[in-house]
Amino acid sequence: MYCPRPIADVYNERLDITRATHIDFPQAIPTSYYIDPKACLRVNYQTCNLCAQTCTAGAIDFSQKPKNLKLKVGSVILAPGFGRVSHDVLEKFGYGRYPDVVTSYEFERLTCASGPTEGHLIRPSDHTTPKKIAFLQCIGSRDVTCDNGYCSSVCCMYAIKEASVAKEHEPDLDISLFFMDVRTQGKGFDAARKRAEEKYGFNVIRARVPKIDQIDSQLALTWTTDDGQSHSDLFDMVVLSVGLDAPEDAHAIADIAGIELNSYDFCKTSHGAPLSTTKKGVYVAGAFQGPKDIPESVTQASGVAAIASELLKEGRGTQTVTITYPEEDKALEEEEPRIGVFVCHCGVNIAGVVDVKAVRDYAASLPNVAYYEDTLYSCSQDALKAIAEKVKENRLNRVVIAACSPRTHEPLFQETLRSIGLNPALFEMANIRDQCAWVHAQEPEEATQKSKDLVRMAVAKARLLEPLAQPTVDVTPKALVLGGGAAGMTVALSIADQGFETILVEKSKELGGNLRKLTWTVDGQDARKILKDLIKKVEKHPKIDIMLEAELESTSGYVGNFTSTVSKGGKTEMVNHGVLVIATGGEEHKPKGYCYGESRQVVTQLELEQKIAKGKSAFKTTKNVVMIQCVGSRGEDLQHCSRLCCTQAVKNALKIKELKPETNVYIFYRDMRTYGFAEDLYREARQKGVIFLRYTPDQKPEVVKQGRGIKVNAYDRLLGEDISIPANLVVLSTGIAPGENENLSKLLKVPLTQEGFFLEAHAKLRPVEVAVDGIYLCGLAHGPKGLEEAVSQAKAAAAKAAIPLVKGKVAVEPIVSHIDKATCIGCGICATLCPFNAIQMVKDGKRKKAETITASCKGCGICASHCPVLAINMGGFTDEEIFAQIHAFSPEGCGEELEAEKK
Amino acid sequence: MTQEGYNPRILGFFCHWCCYAAADSAGVSRYQYPPNVRVIRVMCTGRIDVRFILEAFKCGADGVFTGG
Amino acid sequence: MAEAARQALEDIGVDPERMELEWASAAEGPRFVELITRCVNSIKEKGPLGTESNEAEEDVKRKLEAAVEAASASKVRTSFGMLAKKFHKDGDYSPEAIKEAVAAKFTPAFRKERIAQEIKLLLKKGPMSITKLAKIVGSTKAELEKIVAPLIKKGILKEEKKGLALA
């Protein structure tokens, strides 16, 4: 506050001003101020000292000096992220010269509610709202002139996201996006892109704009489309979709860690071991390993943790500090409810729409509310501490937080309650962000009213909340891995290397899965050797038990204590295990049409690989090879993009050229999605004479039989006419279809995506977990991906699966059913209906009575809603609590007299 | 026939794992929908008792949306 | 549950379509939005509760109160629980089968109990003739007499000059 030294706000891309003493951004951890030593007057000129004098907590100490620490560690993990594309590259597009040419980083801040303009989109030159914006892709990517020959993998999708956000701010905006190829190969990305294009009506142009000129106050763009036509237009603003570069200090990191870099200064790794650097004990995760999106980065981060955990297994637990909680204040909990209501602004996420202060004041008027307050970010560390203090200070025994979703934040707040001796069940949330402010952004009054209603309902429930017991149960230290392909074997090996027994169940009679069909990897390694080594390690491992020709029949139980039956050769075997990993894979899609199955000259990419493996002789008579991409994928039989086919096609095209350079190879494609370093292969293929021809879904190439041969009829966009290529071999890139997932989905109660792959718990933050605790996911069962990504994901699943195994205990959810024995008439309806077999009928004197098996109960409540005599209640969701919420639904109140009567 | 200016009050019972999660995801994507629904979260639609539905109407709901 | 609730609503003259049961998985944000928007619009078209039966708010509320009481009665709940058990055993969850079974087993028990509860509520304000009661609760005189008889026997109700009264 008192810092007199203004500096450019780096977090806001220098579009705003901050002080030398500042917090980078509101959700920074920890959210405490720090002093920029480069700008501080005290540090540089020994003057000022204002902050130290005014800080009442005495938290500023200028006598501190940097220290060198020596740490003894078992492994080193590098995760320095990515660097920025150099300024020279941007200057080629007028950046720095024309103020309305901005980078995608700047645009992100300009459209962000917590950014310098509070989300109002303006042109930097004259602060007016632009009407027409162009996004230019591949700035500093796929560009050998700046030594960045690779594709940055993330820019196509983030440009569509930024364009969508801009459209939401300014619905009349006219947005053009200039792509070379639209590379939205991430899981669910193609569907998201399609939705955005339809909803917002973007102009999607396939062209690379070479340069930008300024004419008066507008920017002039000239480009050539792939039909050879030239175009030009004026725009108010141009966004440069900047790529991901290697970290600026990559060489310094490499020297310190003793690792090698690749030709682009990213960390050198291989497809078979994507997380290992060239030095033993040093591992890598995230964008330093290669440009990648959040899910892949988070996955690699977990994966690298698995490797560290394998190495550190001997020393595990030797340096652990256990959290101890104060004893529960039972007396306080039993007192008349004293409810504290905390209404969160969530920065502008809630407060930008909802009148937070009005909601707070409304809460004050509700019965039993003893304390109320609004907080800026209630989930920040500081705010949690403050909430804990207020609860203690005011002797509160129930807490209501009106903020985001209990699905994401309830555990965090409950932890705070525990830390001050309150039972975590004495907590309720009102979801005024995800289900209010965010979805009623145009109706602030209604959103405020809804928030008040939700708070009233939450308070009504809170008044009746009771403390719940938190039992823990022991974990069976064993893992069950389904699927013996590359992913499944990698998971099994890692879990076993971390010290736990693992059962590997494979449906077929041998291990290997789809990896069996590959002959070499994208980076040129011998796939068969990788497979052989992997199988050998798995077979030799004393802690891995392999079951071939076996299938899962049933699974019951819960995290830590599953019991499954596996059928093998007509017999079934029962296994107890603590965790389960789904690595059941997928399969190459077998398409309809394209003469596939009718002519031996029409094959899939995997079938081509087998042929190439036979060597040059297999291509003796082959003159023309035609490959067709997206056969079956992206809207034919399969809705999704299969992610790996473009790279696979280019890899195989190059192999054909290597075996027999005079072969003509044609590749028909929609967008070449050779993301990441695979772009090098794409470029090499073009240099070696592979001919790439783009087609659109309404003009698909046709495969026609002609006598004993075949030909491919297609439209050539550059020539502007139909062409016909006689082919000796037609190769279809058919994509990846999900395996037979429906059955397993039902068996394990794990949901599938619309495309039929398993759905992860959170696309970005929990990419290898699923909705069911104790079950993890990796490989093609999750979605199409290449070997490199499957291996990273398998390691990540192994890391997550090992967590309960390492802990040895899991806490049982306290929301289970409670059966009042005195009221129960032993009808057995509940026991029949329970989907988890969590109710047993036990003899109690003469009659049988129902009893809950607490550890199996999931708290669904079917038993309670079907009990004839209302003898069953649910922890945290009692009849009384739900009725109180229903009554509070009415603003005037309803049924309270009834409640009072019943008491 | 839609009555002008009539804003119905609707009570929703949402399953924690499905509909409640879908509602959260709609929020994350900033989809917009009418602000007439108030939500009670349950762990599963199986929890919903016929009594709850009837009580909701009794307490002034013009409609009840149960989402599994 | 949904079918039972719908038939219970129908019994008291509330449009059963005011209760919607829909499914949206965790991944289906857009579908959720579509469903909610459709639901709100459909209720908007129907108008406030009571529009369809053209009854005073007080009458609708009383019927609902009686309905909640009826749905809490163990007789009614047993019929409901047994039905669920039967569906579970047969594995037949087709809408037609459910509709038919609920109409045969649950709804008659519910209706009987609902009428009994509503009579009790009505008589709190003083005695009333059987004809008038039958009209208000929406039943025939014969049906009403059948329901009332055991209540008189148990000493819950008594017959007076003006009609029925609470005992």
Side-chain angles (χ1 to χ4, degrees):
Chain A
M1 273 291 248
Y2 292 96
C3 180
R5 178 75 169 167
I7 58 165
D9 183 352
V10 178
Y11 174 69
N12 274 321
E13 290 296 311
R14 300 175 180 275
L15 295 166
D16 206 354
I17 286 167
T18 180
R19 307 271 162 178
T21 308
H22 66 280
I23 297 174
D24 265 350
F25 50 96
Q27 280 128 315
I29 296 174
T31 31
S32 40
Y33 281 82
Y34 83 95
I35 298 167
D36 183 347
K38 280 195 221 100
C40 175
L41 297 170
R42 172 69 174 78
V43 172
N44 292 288
Y45 310 105
Q46 283 76 46
T47 59
C48 185
N49 213 28
L50 249 174
C51 55
Q53 281 164 1
T54 47
C55 178
T56 48
I60 300 172
D61 174 9
F62 280 107
S63 68
Q64 286 180 338
K65 292 275 171 296
K67 273 186 273 187
N68 283 327
L69 300 176
K70 261 201 179 132
L71 303 173
K72 219 179 140 192
V73 296
S75 59
V76 175
I77 293 165
L78 306 175
F82 57 87
R84 294 234 179 158
V85 167
S86 92
H87 230 270
D88 304 343
V89 178
L90 307 181
E91 277 166 14
K92 279 192 255 175
F93 297 91
Y95 181 77
R97 206 161 56 241
Y98 310 136
D100 296 330
V101 177
V102 300
T103 65
S104 43
Y105 295 102
E106 291 167 337
F107 196 77
E108 177 88 29
R109 298 315 304 151
L110 283 173
T111 49
C112 179
S114 63
T117 57
E118 292 175 344
H120 298 297
L121 181 58
I122 53 156
R123 303 206 312 166
S125 65
D126 56 7
H127 291 208
T128 57
T129 306
K131 290 188 183 65
K132 212 168 157 188
I133 299 183
F135 278 79
L136 269 47
Q137 298 306 111
C138 303
I139 306 297
S141 304
R142 303 179 68 182
D143 183 358
V144 281
T145 65
C146 65
D147 295 329
N148 285 356
Y150 57 87
C151 158
S152 291
S153 308
V154 300
C155 327
C156 285
M157 195 65 223
Y158 83 55
I160 289 162
K161 184 208 81 172
E162 288 191 353
S164 303
V165 172
K167 268 295 244 193
E168 286 198 352
H169 284 281
E170 301 294 337
D172 296 331
L173 263 179
D174 180 340
I175 299 182
S176 299
L177 296 131
F178 291 84
F179 295 101
M180 288 162 69
D181 296 277
V182 185
R183 292 188 172 172
T184 47
Q185 65 278 342
K187 188 179 181 182
F189 281 13
D190 242 358
R193 172 190 58 79
K194 222 170 129 194
R195 264 204 319 273
E197 281 178 13
E198 280 163 15
K199 185 172 173 192
Y200 300 116
F202 300 135
N203 310 314
V204 173
I205 300 164
R206 279 179 175 78
R208 188 166 208 167
V209 180
K211 71 193 243 312
I212 299 172
D213 293 304
Q214 185 165 304
I215 297 175
D216 297 329
S217 69
Q218 283 190 302
L219 298 157
L221 269 57
T222 309
W223 67 93
T224 310
T225 42
D226 62 359
D227 52 6
Q229 303 265 347
S230 279
H231 308 262
S232 65
D233 203 353
L234 294 171
F235 293 87
D236 299 323
M237 198 172 183
V238 171
V239 183
L240 304 178
S241 290
V242 186
L244 274 48
D245 214 325
E248 283 85 7
D249 51 357
H251 281 280
I253 295 170
D255 287 345
I256 294 166
I259 57 156
E260 285 175 41
L261 301 177
N262 72 11
S263 60
Y264 296 120
D265 288 350
F266 286 87
C267 185
K268 189 171 175 180
T269 60
S270 74
H271 279 226
L275 306 172
S276 301
T277 68
T278 49
K279 185 167 170 177
K280 217 167 173 242
V282 182
Y283 304 94
V284 62
F288 185 39
Q289 190 262 344
K292 61 177 59 65
D293 211 325
I294 300 169
E296 289 77 32
S297 292
V298 172
T299 299
Q300 285 199 337
S302 293
V304 93
I307 300 178
S309 169
E310 290 162 19
L311 293 170
L312 300 176
K313 101 178 151 213
E314 307 298 332
R316 181 181 295 146
T318 51
Q319 297 187 23
T320 323
V321 183
T322 341
I323 312 173
T324 48
Y325 295 100
E327 196 143 322
E328 264 182 53
D329 188 343
K330 294 257 163 70
L332 175 66
E333 287 171 358
E334 279 166 25
E335 282 176 27
E336 170 85 10
R338 293 175 50 78
I339 306 173
V341 180
F342 298 86
V343 186
C344 183
H345 288 245
C346 195
V348 292
N349 280 303
I350 294 169
V353 179
V354 172
D355 184 347
V356 168
K357 292 211 180 334
V359 175
R360 177 203 64 189
D361 294 340
Y362 174 74
S365 71
L366 297 169
N368 293 82
V369 172
Y371 184 80
Y372 56 96
E373 192 183 87
D374 56 314
T375 58
L376 192 58
Y377 283 101
S378 52
C379 62
S380 71
Q381 282 190 330
D382 288 5
L384 289 174
K385 231 193 261 167
I387 289 171
E389 275 161 23
K390 295 293 177 202
V391 171
K392 270 209 280 197
E393 213 176 284
N394 295 284
R395 290 188 52 77
L396 304 175
N397 54 13
R398 307 282 187 279
V399 174
V400 170
I401 292 191
C404 46
S405 173
R407 285 177 56 252
T408 52
H409 282 69
E410 195 173 53
L412 183 73
F413 295 118
Q414 288 181 325
E415 188 69 14
T416 304
L417 257 60
R418 273 186 88 181
S419 74
I420 49 169
L422 270 184
N423 187 289
L426 301 173
F427 174 77
E428 182 64 18
M429 282 188 89
N431 189 340
I432 63 168
R433 188 187 73 178
D434 306 43
Q435 295 185 14
C436 189
W438 277 351
V439 290
H440 312 309
Q442 312 303 325
E443 296 149 297
E445 273 173 38
E446 280 85 351
T448 303
Q449 188 52 52
K450 179 170 173 178
S451 301
K452 287 181 184 173
D453 291 350
L454 291 173
V455 168
R456 184 177 63 240
M457 289 163 71
V459 168
K461 182 174 180 185
R463 286 168 62 207
L464 300 174
L465 290 172
E466 292 289 338
L468 297 173
Q470 298 168 83
T472 58
V473 288
D474 289 335
V475 169
T476 311
K478 201 181 232 184
L480 180 66
V481 177
L482 304 178
M489 284 193 286
T490 306
V491 171
L493 259 184
S494 178
I495 296 175
D497 278 342
Q498 291 180 69
F500 302 98
E501 299 277 336
T502 305
I503 306 158
L504 182 58
V505 175
E506 166 57 37
K507 193 166 64 174
S508 71
K509 58 181 194 294
E510 54 186 0
L511 295 172
N514 284 309
L515 185 54
R516 274 197 179 275
K517 298 174 189 154
L518 294 188
T519 37
W520 54 87
T521 66
V522 173
D523 62 343
Q525 291 180 71
D526 185 348
R528 284 167 295 193
K529 188 176 176 301
I530 294 176
L531 176 72
K532 223 170 101 191
D533 290 352
L534 205 50
I535 292 176
K536 205 165 129 196
K537 275 191 210 159
V538 170
E539 284 177 343
K540 273 194 163 171
H541 205 294
K543 283 195 184 290
I544 299 179
D545 181 7
I546 305 167
M547 296 176 78
L548 295 175
E549 290 179 278
E551 263 185 279
L552 184 72
E553 291 257 297
S554 71
T555 293
S556 64
Y558 50 95
V559 53
N561 289 277
F562 290 108
T563 303
S564 297
T565 44
V566 178
S567 68
K568 187 178 186 301
K571 286 190 215 142
T572 57
E573 195 175 314
M574 284 258 273
V575 281
N576 293 317
H577 52 105
V579 293
L580 185 148
V581 183
I582 303 170
T584 46
E587 53 206 32
E588 187 180 52
H589 176 59
K590 300 291 177 205
K592 295 183 209 87
Y594 296 92
C595 297
Y596 182 71
E598 294 166 35
S599 164
R600 283 175 57 200
Q601 288 159 291
V602 181
V603 298
T604 66
Q605 287 287 354
L606 272 183
E607 288 161 359
L608 171 67
E609 285 208 18
Q610 314 269 317
K611 194 174 160 85
I612 297 173
K614 289 183 193 138
K616 195 177 171 175
S617 60
F619 292 87
K620 216 185 267 168
T621 56
T622 308
K623 273 212 282 222
N624 290 341
V625 178
V626 179
M627 294 185 181
I628 305 173
Q629 300 303 106
C630 299
V631 170
S633 290
R634 296 185 66 190
E636 278 194 343
D637 307 338
L638 312 168
Q639 288 300 313
H640 56 271
C641 158
S642 290
R643 199 170 167 92
L644 49 76
C645 337
C646 284
T647 301
Q648 194 184 19
V650 170
K651 176 189 86 174
N652 288 342
L654 279 169
K655 274 284 170 186
I656 293 172
K657 282 282 187 188
E658 188 188 311
L659 287 173
K660 198 180 164 197
E662 65 273 26
T663 320
N664 296 313
V665 183
Y666 301 86
I667 299 183
F668 283 96
Y669 70 98
R670 286 180 56 190
D671 295 285
M672 278 313 286
R673 293 185 167 174
T674 45
Y675 62 95
F677 301 125
E679 181 70 10
D680 285 347
L681 296 182
Y682 180 30
R683 193 171 42 254
E684 192 189 333
R686 290 200 310 267
Q687 284 159 356
K688 295 215 166 126
V690 176
I691 296 158
F692 289 86
L693 295 154
R694 186 166 81 86
Y695 74 89
T696 54
D698 52 338
Q699 283 176 313
K700 281 178 191 154
E702 273 179 352
V703 181
V704 187
K705 276 202 261 190
Q706 193 182 39
R708 287 181 59 200
I710 41 170
K711 62 177 186 178
V712 177
N713 295 332
Y715 176 75
D716 185 314
R717 301 178 62 81
L718 187 62
L719 297 175
E721 58 190 47
D722 291 328
I723 52 168
S724 183
I725 305 169
N728 306 91
L729 192 60
V730 170
V731 188
L732 306 176
S733 291
T734 57
I736 303 290
E740 292 151 9
N741 293 342
E742 280 101 13
N743 246 338
L744 193 56
S745 162
K746 281 190 196 129
L747 212 69
L748 300 173
K749 301 196 165 73
V750 173
L752 300 177
T753 64
Q754 275 165 358
E755 291 84 12
F757 295 100
F758 284 97
L759 177 68
E760 58 272 40
H762 189 291
K764 293 190 163 51
L765 302 177
R766 293 172 67 198
V768 297
E769 294 162 82
V770 300
V772 182
D773 286 348
I775 300 185
Y776 309 88
L777 173 63
C778 63
L780 295 185
H782 160 274
K785 60 182 64 67
L787 177 68
E788 184 187 26
E789 289 171 340
V791 169
S792 300
Q793 218 182 16
K795 286 280 190 190
K800 290 289 178 187
I803 292 173
L805 302 180
V806 167
K807 281 190 180 161
K809 276 189 190 328
V810 284
V812 174
E813 286 291 325
I815 50 167
V816 295
S817 71
H818 300 278
I819 302 173
D820 179 22
K821 270 204 177 149
T823 321
C824 176
I825 51 167
C827 70
I829 289 175
C830 53
T832 314
L833 295 181
C834 177
F836 307 102
N837 287 329
I839 295 180
Q840 52 188 354
M841 301 303 292
V842 184
K843 262 224 153 118
D844 182 59
K846 278 183 192 166
R847 291 188 89 150
K848 275 194 167 180
K849 300 264 179 182
E851 197 177 271
T852 309
I853 308 164
T854 309
S856 295
C857 178
K858 288 267 170 202
C860 75
I862 285 183
C863 50
S865 65
H866 288 77
C867 177
V869 288
L870 306 174
I872 308 180
N873 231 333
M874 305 304 299
F877 296 87
T878 64
D879 279 359
E880 295 75 22
E881 286 161 5
I882 294 175
F883 273 122
Q885 281 175 289
I886 300 172
H887 295 155
F889 165 71
S890 161
E892 301 88 35
C894 165
E896 276 83 2
E897 60 292 345
L898 241 132
E899 267 170 52
E901 204 178 292
K902 275 184 185 156
K903 265 183 195 168
Chain B
M1 194 189 78
T2 311
Q3 300 188 6
E4 282 300 317
Y6 162 59
N7 252 331
R9 292 179 55 75
I10 296 169
L11 185 60
F13 291 96
F14 289 8
C15 161
H16 173 90
W17 302 108
C18 307
C19 199
Y20 198 92
D24 278 351
S25 101
V28 173
S29 313
R30 307 292 197 280
Y31 294 119
Q32 303 292 307
Y33 56 86
N36 302 60
V37 183
R38 306 293 177 264
V39 177
I40 292 177
R41 179 174 66 105
V42 289
M43 292 312 286
C44 169
T45 41
R47 175 74 188 94
I48 302 165
D49 198 303
V50 176
R51 292 175 298 150
F52 300 163
I53 312 270
L54 298 168
E55 189 79 12
F57 284 109
K58 198 186 109 193
C59 291
D62 299 317
V64 169
F65 183 96
T66 47
Chain C
M1 183 280 302
E3 187 52 37
R6 285 204 187 98
Q7 293 195 15
L9 288 171
E10 207 165 4
D11 176 58
I12 54 167
V14 172
D15 184 348
E17 281 175 20
R18 285 186 184 273
M19 196 216 101
E20 285 198 31
L21 174 65
E22 289 288 356
W23 308 96
S25 80
E28 297 177 313
R31 176 177 157 79
F32 168 78
V33 171
E34 198 187 301
L35 292 173
I36 282 290
T37 312
R38 212 171 61 201
C39 172
V40 172
N41 289 337
S42 124
I43 303 291
K44 262 191 188 166
E45 272 177 37
K46 290 185 197 306
L49 193 67
T51 309
E52 58 270 36
S53 58
N54 204 13
E55 277 180 306
E57 197 187 333
E58 188 196 346
D59 292 324
V60 178
K61 287 276 152 78
R62 187 192 56 250
K63 281 201 158 48
L64 279 161
E65 195 173 334
V68 174
E69 287 301 322
S72 312
S74 67
K75 241 189 223 165
V76 177
R77 293 186 71 83
T78 305
S79 72
F80 176 64
M82 294 312 281
L83 266 181
K85 209 169 160 177
K86 181 181 167 307
F87 293 137
H88 187 87
K89 204 182 123 214
D90 299 350
D92 184 3
Y93 288 99
S94 69
E96 297 78 31
I98 291 180
K99 203 166 178 175
E100 206 173 295
V102 170
K105 300 276 181 196
F106 168 78
T107 310
F110 171 81
R111 178 174 170 82
K112 218 169 121 186
E113 189 63 31
R114 190 268 299 171
I115 292 176
Q117 293 291 345
E118 201 179 344
I119 292 171
K120 280 195 239 171
L121 288 171
L122 282 163
L123 294 182
K124 269 188 188 172
K125 288 177 194 154
M128 203 182 274
S129 75
I130 290 197
T131 324
K132 199 171 171 198
L133 275 175
K135 199 181 159 212
I136 296 178
V137 302
S139 79
T140 61
K141 215 174 149 191
E143 188 190 13
L144 194 86
E145 274 167 352
K146 239 180 169 177
I147 294 168
V148 165
L151 294 175
I152 297 173
K153 227 180 204 175
K154 279 184 200 160
I156 296 170
L157 302 181
K158 59 179 179 191
E159 284 178 285
E160 280 184 4
K161 257 189 233 159
K162 288 180 191 167
L164 278 175
L166 289 174

